[in-house]
Amino acid sequence: MTPNIRPLVAGNWKMNGKREALATINVIANESEAEDLNAVEMLICPPATLLYVSTTLTEDVPLQIGAQDCHQAKSGAHTGDISAEMIADCYGTHAIVGHSERRTDHNETNEEVCAKAKAAIEAGLVAIICIGETEEERKSGKTLDVLKDQLAGSVPDNVNSKNSVIAYEPVWAIGTGLVPSIDDIKDAHEFMRNELVKRFADEGGAMRILYGGSVKPGNAGELMAIENVDGALVGGASLKAEDFLSICKATAGLLTN
Ligand code: PGA
């Protein structure tokens, strides 16, 4: 945790969840009003098919709804894509950009991720910009070099602590149950914080840096307590209301204890 930063716990449902999953949104939405969760900001990014209906279900509660990607253009001939403006038009508040699955499945480059983040910010969304090393890069000792390159290439110049969030997700930790050691996460987050401060001064010091990759109710407290870890990007465990809420509570508990 970084003092004075309100942590964000974001759920990324990926390509999971049909209409029946709206029941999960409802459970999380109802709980999001609980006093013991005030200390955290809560977000679910369902598939695009559920975005609009999810925002209508959460209109009066603190649970925010976001998208998992956005196109860099405002509109036009881009079959199958969704613009940041369209997400904002459906009352979405955030867009994840540069998730490693999109970098792999859709060959997204740092340059494209940067353009997407810029488009998200211009549409009034918060950009959650994902970076992280592969297993091979970690094994060959290149983790910090990769993070430096991805931060330089994927983060646009117009970011600030309100319109953007960095999510550090080691690719090899996503969906695998593997998590880096506490020291490795601490070092990576400290490195990213310094890079952000170098480039964005005070705003870089105030930006949230999330950790993502196999965050579960059982390890959330320990992970969220690490210096410069300002919340979590949660995949698998966000599909179950109970697990997602436990992660939020573990995070909030660190602030209220
Ligand atoms: P996981 O996914 O929590 O299932 O590891 C994290 C993510 O991809 O954002």
Side-chain angles (χ1 to χ4, degrees):
M1 294 273 171
T2 309
N4 302 322
I5 295 186
R6 188 169 178 232
L8 168 69
V9 180
N12 170 14
W13 281 10
K14 310 189 179 184
M15 200 169 72
N16 297 295
K18 295 191 275 192
R19 279 179 297 157
E20 63 195 14
L22 294 172
T24 307
I25 298 277
N26 268 328
V27 175
I28 299 172
N30 289 338
E31 279 288 318
S32 69
E33 294 193 286
E35 213 175 306
D36 59 350
L37 285 173
N38 270 348
V40 288
E41 215 176 289
M42 294 166 66
L43 169 74
I44 292 286
C45 299
T49 46
L50 299 182
L51 181 73
Y52 183 58
V53 66
S54 297
T55 61
T56 61
L57 290 174
T58 53
E59 231 173 317
D60 302 320
V61 298
L63 175 63
Q64 304 170 95
I65 301 293
Q68 299 172 13
D69 177 47
C70 68
H71 195 275
Q72 54 270 44
K74 288 192 170 152
S75 61
H78 302 288
T79 303
D81 279 312
I82 295 170
S83 73
E85 286 194 352
M86 289 167 175
I87 296 161
D89 184 50
C90 289
Y91 308 107
T93 52
H94 293 65
I96 299 172
V97 295
H99 190 281
S100 74
E101 285 150 19
R102 292 208 58 92
R103 290 179 188 260
T104 306
D105 292 358
H106 300 273
N107 300 315
E108 286 186 9
T109 60
N110 279 332
E111 207 177 18
E112 276 168 302
V113 174
C114 188
K116 286 176 180 224
K118 201 159 171 269
I121 293 165
E122 279 165 8
L125 303 175
V126 177
I128 302 180
I129 306 166
C130 302
I131 60 172
E133 81 287 357
T134 61
E135 187 177 15
E136 208 185 315
E137 289 162 342
R138 154 94 31 191
K139 281 190 178 148
S140 50
K142 293 196 190 123
T143 299
L144 300 185
D145 293 337
V146 170
L147 297 182
K148 191 182 169 92
D149 276 2
Q150 289 186 334
L151 280 176
S154 303
V155 178
D157 289 331
N158 61 340
V159 303
N160 62 40
S161 59
K162 302 243 166 6
N163 67 22
S164 301
V165 172
I166 304 298
Y168 169 53
E169 299 203 302
V171 178
W172 53 274
I174 296 176
T176 56
L178 301 172
V179 176
S181 70
I182 300 291
D183 281 345
D184 283 346
I185 296 177
K186 188 167 173 277
D187 290 349
H189 279 246
E190 189 183 348
F191 177 80
M192 292 182 282
R193 175 69 69 209
N194 290 337
E195 290 295 302
L196 291 172
V197 169
K198 264 195 250 165
R199 188 164 159 204
F200 303 108
D202 287 354
E203 282 302 310
M207 268 173 84
R208 293 186 180 108
I209 309 176
L210 311 184
Y211 168 77
S214 299
V215 178
K216 308 274 181 245
N219 63 15
E222 189 183 27
L223 294 172
M224 295 304 109
I226 303 171
E227 241 169 277
N228 289 306
V229 173
D230 311 311
L233 183 53
V234 187
S238 70
L239 293 167
K240 271 199 191 159
E242 201 190 340
D243 288 356
F244 181 73
L245 288 164
S246 298
I247 293 168
C248 293
K249 281 178 189 155
T251 307
L254 294 166
L255 292 148
T256 49
N257 279 341

